Amino acid sequence: MKAIRRLTVRPVLPEPLRPLSDLARNLRWSWHAETRDLFRSVDPECWAASGRDPVRLLGAVPAERLGELAEDRRFVRRLAAAADDLDHYMTGDRWYQTQSRAQAQAQSAGLPAAVAYFSPEFGITAALPQYSGGLGILAGDHLKAASDLGVPLIGVGLLYRHGYFRQSLSRDGWQQEHYPVLDPDELPLTLLKETDGTPAQVHLALPGGKELRARLWLAQVGRVPLLLLDSDVEENDLGERGVTDRLYGGGSEHRLLQEMLLGIGGVRAVRTYCRLTGHAEPEVFHTNEGHAGFLGLERIAELCDRGSEFEPALEAVRAGTVFTTHTPVPAGIDRFDRQLVARHFGPGAELPRIDVERVLRLGMETYPGGEPNLFNMAVMGLRLAQRANGVSLLHGGVSREMFSGLWPGFDADEVPITSVTNGVHAPTWVAPEVFRLGARQIGVQRTEDALTVGGSDRWDSVADIPDEDIWELRRTLREQLVTEVRERLRASWRQRGAGTAELGWIDGVLDPDVLTIGFARRVPSYKRLTLMLRDRDRLTDLLLHPERPVQIVVAGKAHPADDGGKRLIQELVRFADDPRVRHRVVFLPDYGMAMAQRLYPGCDIWLNNPLRPLEACGTSGMKAALNGCLNVSVLDGWWDEWFRPDFGWAIPTADGAGTDPDRRDDIEAAALYDLLEQRITPRFYERGPSGLPDRWIEMVRRTLSLLGPKVLAGRMVREYVERLYAPAAAAHRAMDPDAARGLAEWKSRVRAAWPGVSVDHVETGTATATAELGSTLSLRVRVDLGELAPDDVEVQAVSGRVDSEDRITEATAVPLKPVGGPDLEGRWAYEGPLALDRTGTFGYTVRILPAHPLLASGAELGLVAVPSDELVEAAGLLMR
Ligand SMILES: *Cc1c(COP(=O)(O)O)cnc(C)c1O
């Protein structure tokens, strides 16, 4: 019989067990093994059946068992200790509080009272499946690391009724998608309520007099609240109820509504949360990718409602906004039809106080090659945020290049987009066995500190761990993976229609003593899932090598609309189904956090072969590294930054311009096989005098001690605090209504006057054709500032090496001093010394930039005046 309605009856816990409920609702259990152990001992069978999910566990434990535990004094004592530990974690001072006090003592501006962090997806735990891949996991790791460090973050996202899809395989290896319904009552969430007990809601106005409402769920991520907006409420029409149905599903309008709900509704949710709980209001708003970009518009509208004009409100909002871009290709950016956006804003829709034209202009691609009819979320993100960053050094450079059209007149390296390299939340991703080895070496507390706050000194003690212990750990982890793989493979084959009798061979799949390679990630084409299949004979030889075999575990989901990706999966599955190799290569369906947590530690090699530079950062290799797994990767993303031959391998690339993509795959695949045959497998299988692979073990040790402190999300969040949040908070505070109005007026005056600004004359003291290192030139410049005054600008000497086309590279800019003016023609004189501090071909020039104390970068307005070509010729400005 089919039920007409489904509801969840929550257990009533006996009084002595009440703290279990708080422990289950705070997601800190997901990165705290001790709390998980406690839940396991509630009922080991139920624990396994619940998928290791405390909320489900408590819903499933028989009442008799609960009664028994309430009488069990040892259990109750353990429970009290766990509750006490959580309480201490929640209320004690952590890194941020120490930093704040130090800053207060130094009388500096002080860290933000709160930061709101917006993301379209959050991967916190498998028990809250609201992520599709790296972007979401990164967001989850950001919240957890912020919690560990005591950073007062508020997370904001959407609650998707179906999350992302679950993957299985058809008999012939084609990806099948399932969308299980997630019942919020069965998830670790609580509904945010008004003081009168009714559910809190936010409302958005839609065209045609319609309304979109959302209720607010709260996930408690350690110290960090995560607000999830859910449009599935009865007051909504059917269409609106479906806005938060699934992650990255549906057409363009559906996505626009999701993003409006996330950005605009998200700000309203934060205001509601702060009003109801007394939480400090955020001083900084951080948007993880462009999807939440409308949050800036909502905050402009808030200021306009309080009487501000648009331009000053824009300045005030920009000052406190941080935008992180994750996409190294224009095709990866979210863009909407301009008309679609126009219909959803203005009178009769959202933000009626803001002129629709102004909204549209913020997302307009105003650079050469831009598409006038599209609204670009990343472009809006950059215009609404005074601070922006990419997610690795390399990606920072790629982003500056990619968006340089928004700052015409500036070289790409001056585009105001910096980078903060991603990190991963070690307590989530380090296997308990690895943690225990650390704890045995340096103690529990220092191990926890090493994983959260970081610091290379704490990691140095890895050097003292004996070879045998490291090798035994590696084998244990590999063996656990082998067991896990067999279980998952058996389940997958059953689902593909095989009977138990056909599956005896699965007991012989993988070998705990064979070099194990992992490859798991989403399956967009640039990640090249099937590169390893380029030469199947060579791969087969590697798998079946009589002395030095390898085994490979592969996993990954293709986007439901991406048939190309599904074909790649099928190709791989078919290869892995071949009885000749199926004991050495497996494809596991339904890649997600639960699998990932077992997979990374059990592998010896983590393989990554994207098309460089399309991997903005990549994080799975970092998680592998934290467990002593070595990386073999194309020099892309984080690996380009931190690779060293003493702890990993770089796959040589053929990414020079003009290489045919097919040929490039051939070359790079061949390079990968070479590495595996000649360098990697011999190193793994060779035995030193002690009978252990000591050179391999040394690489494991170096991976841990050298990469460990770098790849931490704690390091990343500290960088965000120090380099972006703190300056953004200071800028936000400086931007009171008068300052904002002043800055807006100044910008508009400077923009209007800029055509009248020029460099008129340049003179150098001792301009000979060759010069000696260490000598100084004196520069004298005359500039025309038109309607502007010397206070409005900075005149700079820019110098550095020059390339064959006379372009200055690695430029340094030094301000020149105003020394007189205006002369009879209204021109001003500037001068200053120019040190010849580099040998070789050297060049310099001068330029004028707008200058104002509230700008974060000289390039902010995209305005610059440089000498005309004639002047360059006449002055012989470039010297070789
Ligand atoms: C870490 C992780 C990712 C991201 O991996 P990349 O290397 O950045 O592609 C994706 N999915 C899951 C489940 C992860 O844990």
Side-chain angles (χ1 to χ4, degrees):
M1 258 182 296
K2 203 166 157 59
I4 54 167
R5 189 156 178 225
R6 178 190 164 103
L7 50 99
T8 308
V9 184
R10 294 223 167 135
V12 181
L13 291 171
E15 185 59 38
L17 301 186
R18 284 287 159 82
L20 275 176
S21 169
D22 297 334
L23 286 168
R25 301 234 150 242
N26 192 317
L27 291 165
R28 186 197 181 219
W29 62 257
S30 69
W31 70 95
H32 197 246
E34 254 176 76
T35 311
R36 286 198 304 276
D37 288 344
L38 182 78
F39 280 114
R40 185 184 305 114
S41 57
V42 166
D43 188 330
E45 254 172 50
C46 275
W47 175 246
S50 72
R52 307 194 190 102
D53 173 345
V55 170
R56 276 174 206 277
L57 168 83
L58 293 184
V61 188
E64 307 84 78
R65 174 65 185 152
L66 292 176
E68 225 172 83
L69 282 174
E71 303 290 313
D72 179 341
R73 286 188 34 213
R74 264 190 60 214
F75 182 83
V76 173
R77 259 205 313 277
R78 255 178 88 199
L79 175 58
D84 186 57
D85 179 74
L86 179 62
D87 185 56
H88 179 75
Y89 177 84
M90 295 295 286
T91 51
D93 276 357
R94 307 187 76 83
W95 172 83
Y96 195 81
Q97 287 66 39
T98 321
Q99 291 299 108
S100 278
R101 267 199 305 276
Q103 295 227 346
Q105 266 162 18
Q107 314 252 306
S108 68
L111 299 173
V115 176
Y117 179 89
F118 286 59
S119 174
E121 48 173 310
F122 284 92
I124 314 275
T125 151
L128 189 59
Q130 298 287 322
Y131 61 91
S132 75
L135 182 75
I137 312 257
L138 177 81
D141 281 5
H142 195 102
L143 298 195
K144 294 179 203 171
S147 170
D148 289 344
L149 293 171
V151 180
L153 219 66
I154 303 175
V156 184
L158 301 178
L159 182 75
Y160 303 96
R161 165 91 351 169
H162 299 281
Y164 199 52
F165 71 93
R166 303 286 304 264
Q167 179 195 49
S168 65
L169 296 172
S170 72
R171 184 82 198 200
D172 66 347
W174 192 254
Q175 167 174 299
Q176 311 286 303
E177 294 114 29
H178 315 267
Y179 291 90
V181 181
L182 300 171
D183 179 353
D185 287 324
E186 292 174 2
L187 296 174
L189 301 172
T190 42
L191 194 59
L192 192 67
K193 294 197 172 131
E194 292 291 341
T195 40
D196 65 4
T198 57
Q201 282 196 350
V202 298
H203 301 224
L204 263 70
L206 300 185
K210 293 225 254 185
E211 208 172 27
L212 167 62
R213 295 155 190 259
R215 54 185 171 172
L216 311 175
W217 294 96
L218 174 69
Q220 193 64 43
V221 186
R223 296 165 69 117
V224 171
L226 167 60
L227 302 171
L228 297 171
L229 288 86
D230 171 12
S231 71
D232 191 11
V233 297
E234 280 171 14
E235 297 92 322
N236 275 338
D237 286 348
L238 215 54
E240 283 70 51
R241 284 185 81 153
V243 165
T244 55
D245 56 356
R246 52 180 74 162
L247 187 49
Y248 306 135
S252 196
E253 177 158 15
H254 187 255
R255 248 199 12 254
L256 178 68
L257 288 176
Q258 287 191 338
E259 297 186 10
M260 288 179 67
L261 185 61
L262 176 61
I264 299 171
V267 172
R268 294 175 189 170
V270 169
R271 303 300 184 215
T272 306
Y273 178 77
C274 292
R275 167 171 62 75
L276 290 172
T277 61
H279 194 290
E281 289 281 351
E283 296 185 281
V284 175
F285 285 75
H286 182 182
T287 155
N288 188 38
E289 247 317 333
H291 309 75
F294 293 123
L295 70 85
L297 287 179
E298 166 68 2
R299 285 157 58 227
I300 291 173
E302 286 179 337
L303 294 175
C304 290
D305 283 343
R306 274 182 243 142
S308 172
E309 295 292 321
F310 180 85
E311 295 294 342
L314 172 64
E315 293 306 333
V317 164
R318 269 173 57 80
T321 307
V322 176
F323 170 56
T324 301
T325 168
H326 292 261
T327 314
V329 277
I333 292 178
D334 226 2
R335 304 197 296 180
F336 292 110
D337 184 70
R338 190 181 146 87
Q339 287 308 317
L340 179 69
V341 176
R343 207 152 53 75
H344 284 83
F345 286 89
E350 257 311 325
L351 310 185
R353 301 263 296 202
I354 302 183
D355 177 8
V356 183
E357 279 307 312
R358 289 198 194 264
V359 173
L360 293 175
R361 229 176 293 149
L362 283 169
M364 203 153 128
E365 300 180 344
T366 49
Y367 38 81
E371 182 53 69
N373 287 317
L374 288 182
F375 185 91
N376 182 314
M377 292 299 282
V379 165
M380 178 174 72
L382 290 166
R383 289 192 176 127
L384 287 177
Q386 199 177 28
R387 285 168 184 78
N389 69 291
V391 291
S392 66
L393 264 185
L394 180 64
H395 178 241
V398 170
S399 303
R400 287 188 287 276
E401 233 12 283
M402 182 165 131
F403 292 111
S404 60
L406 293 175
W407 289 272
F410 289 86
D411 289 346
D413 57 6
E414 287 190 281
V415 164
I417 300 177
T418 181
S419 67
V420 176
T421 304
N422 285 342
V424 297
H425 184 246
T428 298
W429 297 108
V430 163
E433 293 78 6
V434 178
F435 184 91
R436 280 201 287 275
L437 185 59
R440 217 163 69 206
Q441 199 68 23
I442 57 173
V444 171
Q445 188 57 52
R446 287 192 65 208
T447 307
E448 265 179 20
D449 290 348
L451 296 182
T452 51
V453 187
S456 54
D457 47 328
R458 291 194 180 92
W459 286 81
D460 288 343
S461 45
V462 172
D464 306 329
I465 305 178
D467 277 11
E468 307 83 74
D469 291 2
I470 290 186
W471 193 237
E472 192 185 306
L473 170 73
R474 298 293 325 148
R475 189 178 192 286
T476 307
L477 296 171
R478 202 182 304 118
E479 194 165 27
Q480 288 179 0
L481 176 63
V482 170
T483 310
E484 169 101 6
V485 164
R486 289 177 188 166
E487 277 168 24
R488 285 183 180 266
L489 194 63
R490 188 167 285 112
S492 168
W493 269 107
R494 287 235 181 81
Q495 186 150 31
R496 290 174 74 184
T500 315
E502 296 173 72
L503 297 178
W505 61 274
I506 288 182
D507 293 330
V509 165
L510 303 195
D511 178 333
D513 290 306
V514 166
L515 170 61
T516 306
I517 301 176
F519 184 102
R521 42 186 56 87
R522 290 178 304 111
V523 189
S525 58
Y526 78 85
K527 297 206 187 223
R528 293 193 294 187
L529 172 74
T530 53
L531 188 74
M532 64 178 87
L533 298 183
R534 200 77 190 166
D535 182 339
R536 292 174 185 225
D537 293 338
R538 253 183 114 176
L539 177 63
T540 306
D541 288 348
L542 276 162
L543 295 169
L544 304 179
H545 192 283
E547 291 96 42
R548 300 195 300 266
V550 302
Q551 56 195 12
I552 310 181
V553 184
V554 186
K557 292 176 174 178
H559 187 279
D562 175 18
D563 279 350
K566 292 184 207 177
R567 265 193 295 279
L568 298 182
I569 290 176
Q570 186 174 42
E571 224 180 292
L572 209 124
V573 171
R574 286 188 171 161
F575 180 80
D577 283 353
D578 183 340
R580 285 193 314 142
V581 295
R582 66 186 180 186
H583 60 301
R584 287 276 157 74
V585 54
V586 292
F587 180 89
L588 299 181
D590 208 29
Y591 181 47
M593 289 184 77
M595 185 198 300
Q597 282 171 315
R598 297 298 183 98
L599 185 53
Y600 306 138
C603 291
D604 299 292
I605 288 291
W606 194 252
L607 176 63
N608 190 22
N609 45 235
L611 282 169
R612 187 178 191 271
L614 301 187
E615 185 79 281
C617 178
T619 50
S620 54
M622 298 180 172
K623 302 175 218 169
L626 282 174
N627 289 286
C629 169
L630 309 183
N631 277 271
V632 176
S633 170
V634 159
L635 287 179
D636 201 3
W638 74 281
W639 194 237
D640 183 62
E641 197 168 327
W642 290 332
F643 159 71
R644 272 176 41 177
D646 49 350
F647 54 63
W649 290 272
I651 305 170
T653 43
D655 55 349
T659 311
D660 159 70
D662 238 17
R663 212 175 110 64
R664 177 172 175 181
D665 283 357
D666 279 338
I667 296 173
E668 297 184 6
L672 169 62
Y673 299 133
D674 285 347
L675 272 179
L676 286 168
E677 284 162 7
Q678 293 156 25
R679 313 272 294 283
I680 299 172
T681 51
R683 172 92 34 116
F684 182 86
Y685 287 104
E686 90 192 349
R687 292 294 181 268
S690 60
L692 297 174
D694 41 14
R695 293 213 296 157
W696 187 277
I697 294 171
E698 190 50 29
M699 289 181 81
V700 172
R701 204 178 262 125
R702 283 176 185 267
T703 288
L704 289 169
S705 62
L706 298 175
L707 285 177
K710 291 198 175 102
V711 300
L712 301 179
R715 186 270 314 147
M716 167 183 76
V717 170
R718 283 192 296 155
E719 273 194 55
Y720 273 106
V721 168
E722 286 161 0
R723 293 177 43 212
L724 294 164
Y725 297 166
H732 160 81
R733 289 173 196 161
M735 205 67 78
D736 60 33
D738 285 345
R741 201 173 324 112
L743 180 61
E745 282 166 10
W746 177 82
K747 278 192 179 176
S748 111
R749 187 162 62 80
V750 168
R751 284 203 178 95
W754 204 255
V757 174
S758 63
V759 178
D760 274 13
H761 185 75
V762 181
E763 245 173 66
T764 34
T766 51
T768 50
T770 52
E772 276 177 12
L773 182 69
S775 59
T776 302
L777 298 182
S778 69
L779 264 183
R780 215 180 139 81
V781 180
R782 213 166 55 225
V783 299
D784 189 342
L785 298 181
E787 305 281 304
L788 301 180
D791 274 354
D792 297 322
V793 299
E794 182 165 288
V795 179
Q796 298 177 335
V798 182
S799 63
R801 285 186 209 294
V802 289
D803 64 16
S804 56
E805 285 156 39
D806 284 347
R807 267 196 308 259
I808 301 177
T809 59
E810 297 165 46
T812 45
V814 182
L816 299 175
K817 283 209 181 65
V819 289
D823 65 11
L824 288 176
E825 288 154 81
R827 286 176 296 205
W828 303 81
Y830 281 77
E831 65 179 34
L834 181 66
L836 301 182
D837 52 3
R838 274 183 260 198
T839 54
T841 319
F842 182 84
Y844 64 89
T845 186
V846 293
R847 67 176 179 183
I848 313 170
L849 300 176
H852 189 283
L854 294 175
L855 297 185
S857 144
E860 189 168 315
L861 277 74
L863 297 174
V864 59
V866 294
S868 63
D869 290 349
E870 298 81 57
L871 196 63
V872 171
E873 281 298 314
L877 260 189
L878 282 155
M879 193 180 58
R880 299 158 151 270

